[in-house]
Amino acid sequence: MGEVKLLGTRHSPYLHRVIWALKLKGIPYEFIEQDLDNKSPLLLQSNPVHKKIPVLIHGGNPIAESVIILEYIEEKWPQNPLLPSDPYEKAVARFWVKFADEKGLSISKVLQSSGEEQEKARKESLEMLEIIEEHAPGLGQKKFFGGDKIGMVDLTLGRLAHWMGVTEEVTGVKIMEAGKFPRLEAWMKNFKEDPVIKENLPEFKDTLAVMKRHRETLLASK
Amino acid sequence: MAEEVKLFGMWGSPFSRRIEIALKLKGVSYEYIEEDLQNKSPLLLKYNPVHKKVPVLLHNGKPIAESIVILEYIEETWKTNPIWPADPYERAIARFWAKFFDDKCGLAAWNACWAEEKEKEKAMEEASECLKTLEGELKDKKFFGGDKVGMVDIVAIFIAFWLRVLQEVVGADLLTPEKFPALFKWSEELVGCPIIKENLPPRDRLIILFRARLESSK
């Protein structure tokens, strides 16, 4: 079927969505670490439009954008499905994947900004959590958004299980207050304890160091 | 049981029209419900509580929101006249361009037209960069979908129709045959297609809408 290469940076939440999908489906791949301050010819060639990671290269064919990569992986390797088979349930899942992907950016903004801008990002992140807690189907009834098994919505929200905590510690800004989101908290616990996820998360203190440096560099350049 | 398809939309919305075009291309009958976005109906708020936006597709009583999600659903449910590529890799590429359009181009072009004097140059530059990228992807193809209209064409139709009307009203020359020959030609071809042309908003009504907005912004 062709070999699978994955371009990324070790502490990227977007990269991890793809790693988790590949691991859950038992797909072997070669990870090629990227230096975003000194982009490789391979990266520039594989993602000329955005020049970002992650990029999946399958049999020489590059695909960019983590959610699009997840959809491709799902279609090419149907074992351990990440999406429901029923077209309506699939559409509902895709809705929440899009929601999590887009609104999750606010959490990045909390890390990348300060003052008023940061406060705005914090409020947007909080709103995202509130909407998920209130509206996401299946939350609280099943172990994961995907049901008994991890699915694409869970992977897209994976940022909450590690990177949100890192962001809170680096910035000193609390996004998710304990006790306010019982269903989400239960989901986070289930997600972090899943063996595949657990084995494929970076060390908290390492991500912390990287994100701290990242924030310092960004704020200094403003 | 007869299949029931309803679409909550707004006559001038490119997102809403995407869905109408897709349904028409596949010969799917549906009931259209026009929404007043200044006064949203209880049904719309019930079916899209998260975003409260159009379009929303209702199929046998079950609602789906977000136009790209709806387009994916339509493709899977009604198999006539596929608008998505069959090959998974080609499909991934189509999804990439649809996302690029939605995340960057549409908004950049819209903002460039409405930008105030001091931000105009930067906004126009950003929008031109997007169009340049699209021009590069189109190359010598008739449509983004190849010889036939495909998903990316339907998603990018804002450029082919709405932008051309808007830029005339505000006096911006973003998409011209000199600057973007392939894209300009594509816009003429796309808007000239039989089913597409019948499912675009009336040009003069759109002009009135844009002019009113221009007046109120002065």
Side-chain angles (χ1 to χ4, degrees), chain A residues 47 49-50 61-65 68 71-72 75-76 86-88 90-91 94-96 98-99 101-103 131 135, chain B residues 48-51 62-66 68-69 72-73 76-77 88-89 91-93 95-97 99-100 103-104 133:
Chain A
N47 189 2
V49 175
H50 299 299
N61 291 327
I63 301 152
E65 299 287 318
I68 294 175
E71 292 263 14
Y72 176 79
E75 280 172 34
K76 275 308 236 199
D86 171 69
Y88 182 72
K90 205 187 295 196
R94 283 187 170 132
F95 175 91
W96 288 102
K98 189 173 205 285
F99 183 82
D101 188 40
E102 288 175 0
K103 303 294 178 181
I131 290 177
H135 292 282
Chain B
N48 191 2
V50 174
H51 299 298
K62 296 187 193 170
I64 302 158
E66 295 290 308
I68 305 267
V69 176
E72 297 251 19
Y73 177 80
E76 278 173 44
T77 307
Y89 183 69
R91 201 154 46 235
I93 300 299
R95 285 186 176 122
F96 176 90
W97 287 105
K99 188 176 206 293
F100 175 75
D103 288 353
K104 288 209 144 102
T133 306

Side-chain angles (χ1 to χ4, degrees), chain A:
Chain A
M1 240 222 256
E3 50 172 19
V4 179
K5 298 187 187 194
L6 180 58
L7 312 185
T9 55
R10 282 189 196 280
H11 295 275
S12 158
Y14 304 101
L15 169 75
H16 279 81
R17 291 173 179 174
V18 181
I19 290 177
W20 295 327
L22 292 168
K23 293 277 182 189
L24 285 165
K25 287 174 180 278
I27 303 161
Y29 65 96
E30 181 196 347
F31 174 64
I32 307 172
E33 182 151 19
Q34 298 298 303
D35 176 1
L36 295 183
D37 294 322
N38 190 14
K39 294 177 180 178
S40 69
L42 181 60
L43 175 60
L44 298 175
Q45 213 176 74
S46 311
N47 189 2
V49 175
H50 299 299
K51 307 175 178 58
K52 285 181 173 178
I53 59 96
V55 178
L56 188 86
I57 307 176
H58 183 207
N61 291 327
I63 301 152
E65 299 287 318
S66 60
V67 172
I68 294 175
I69 297 172
L70 292 183
E71 292 263 14
Y72 176 79
I73 289 173
E74 177 73 354
E75 280 172 34
K76 275 308 236 199
W77 293 278
Q79 69 269 26
N80 289 351
L82 302 171
L83 283 175
S85 53
D86 171 69
Y88 182 72
E89 298 299 319
K90 205 187 295 196
V92 174
R94 283 187 170 132
F95 175 91
W96 288 102
V97 164
K98 189 173 205 285
F99 183 82
D101 188 40
E102 288 175 0
K103 303 294 178 181
L105 288 171
S106 302
I107 297 177
S108 297
K109 282 199 214 139
V110 172
L111 181 80
Q112 294 160 355
S113 63
S114 57
E116 240 178 76
E117 216 188 308
Q118 188 187 57
E119 177 56 18
K120 181 168 178 252
R122 186 195 67 84
K123 286 204 171 103
E124 282 168 4
S125 303
L126 185 61
E127 207 184 284
M128 173 189 84
L129 297 179
E130 285 167 353
I131 290 177
I132 295 173
E133 180 78 15
E134 191 187 330
H135 292 282
L139 191 61
Q141 293 146 26
K142 295 269 171 88
K143 205 169 170 200
F144 303 110
F145 289 98
D148 299 315
K149 288 196 164 170
I150 288 181
M152 217 183 270
V153 181
D154 304 279
L155 298 187
T156 315
L157 267 174
R159 178 194 288 252
L160 300 185
H162 179 81
W163 289 267
M164 184 176 65
V166 169
T167 299
E168 287 177 324
E169 199 164 316
V170 169
T171 60
V173 171
K174 196 77 185 144
I175 300 170
M176 183 164 161
E177 273 173 69
K180 276 191 87 182
F181 303 95
R183 302 192 315 158
L184 255 176
E185 277 187 47
W187 169 80
M188 274 166 65
K189 185 165 180 289
N190 291 334
F191 188 75
K192 282 202 277 202
E193 283 176 2
D194 178 271
V196 172
I197 304 299
K198 203 161 158 186
E199 266 161 43
N200 291 285
L201 268 178
E203 286 284 331
F204 192 86
K205 60 173 172 59
D206 294 337
T207 308
L208 191 68
V210 168
M211 294 297 153
K212 198 162 179 233
R213 248 189 338 261
H214 179 59
R215 177 178 165 80
E216 282 164 10
T217 312
L218 262 172
L219 293 185
S221 70
K222 282 196 178 172

Side-chain angles (χ1 to χ4, degrees), chain B residues 5-67:
Chain B
V5 184
K6 293 188 187 185
L7 177 66
F8 293 80
M10 186 263 175
W11 69 270
S13 157
F15 302 97
S16 175
R17 292 280 176 172
R18 285 175 186 180
I19 308 305
E20 294 203 77
I21 289 169
L23 290 170
K24 288 265 158 71
L25 283 170
K26 286 171 174 282
V28 178
S29 326
Y30 62 97
E31 182 195 336
Y32 176 76
I33 298 152
E34 175 74 19
E35 278 289 327
D36 175 1
L37 297 182
Q38 309 304 327
N39 190 16
K40 295 173 182 178
S41 74
L43 276 183
L44 178 64
L45 300 177
K46 174 180 157 190
Y47 292 134
N48 191 2
V50 174
H51 299 298
K52 307 175 176 55
K53 287 180 173 179
V54 292
V56 175
L57 187 80
L58 202 68
H59 186 205
N60 294 329
K62 296 187 193 170
I64 302 158
E66 295 290 308
S67 62

Side-chain angles (χ1 to χ4, degrees), chain B residues 101 104-115 120 123-124 126-128 130-131 134 158-159 162-163 166-167 170 172 174-175:
Chain B
F101 180 82
K104 288 209 144 102
C105 291
L107 200 57
W110 178 261
N111 287 341
C113 289
W114 294 113
K120 195 93 172 172
M124 285 287 284
E126 222 178 281
S128 292
C130 282
L131 293 187
L134 287 179
F158 170 84
I159 303 276
W162 279 259
L163 176 62
L166 178 58
Q167 66 182 17
V170 301
L174 199 48
L175 174 62

